[in-house]
């Protein structure tokens, strides 16, 4: 079994675990973490797909997409955490 196949299956596994968590979990924070797992798994598979044998250079476009995806993921996580905190605050104000 080649290392590319092992890394590809690992990325696919991380993506599937995150997707199952996002579909099953009810808590917003846990669902957000599951979606982060999905994005990490997808990025991992994209990097594995760009890999080529050592004499050849890897394709730089998927690597640039993964780096851009990391930046977008961090920004989206920050916004989602702020929304989750605001919803939590509103729920506690409503119950009081």
């Amino acid at each position: 079994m080649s290392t590319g196949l092992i890394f590809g299956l690992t990325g696919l596994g991380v993506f599937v675990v995150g997707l199952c968590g996002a579909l099953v979990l009810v808590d917003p924070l846990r669902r957000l973490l599951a979606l982060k797992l999905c994005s990490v798994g997808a990025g991992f598979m994209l990097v594995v797909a760009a890999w080529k044998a050592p004499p050849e250079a890897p394709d730089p476009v998927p690597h640039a997409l993964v780096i851009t995806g990391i930046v977008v993921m961090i920004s989206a996580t920050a916004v989602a955490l702020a929304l989750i905190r605001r919803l939590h605050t509103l729920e506690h104000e409503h119950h009081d």
Side-chain angles (χ1 to χ4, degrees):
M1 191 179 284
S2 69
T3 56
L5 181 62
I6 293 171
F7 290 144
L9 290 175
T10 302
L12 183 63
V14 169
F15 180 82
V16 168
V17 167
L19 184 63
C20 289
L23 294 174
V24 171
L25 297 172
V26 178
D27 184 41
L29 185 60
R30 290 181 185 210
R31 186 175 282 179
L32 176 65
L33 292 175
L35 288 173
K36 283 185 63 73
L37 271 178
C38 281
S39 65
V40 168
F44 200 72
M45 287 188 302
L46 197 56
V47 168
V48 168
W51 185 84
K52 294 189 179 163
E56 296 180 45
D59 188 10
V61 174
H63 290 241
L65 288 173
V66 170
I67 291 172
T68 304
I70 291 170
V71 171
V72 170
M73 180 177 54
I74 291 170
S75 303
T77 301
V79 171
L81 286 172
L83 288 172
I84 290 171
R85 182 176 179 192
R86 180 68 177 149
L87 285 172
H88 186 69
T89 305
L90 290 174
E91 286 175 357
H92 281 294
E93 286 178 1
H94 180 68
H95 288 351
D96 291 340

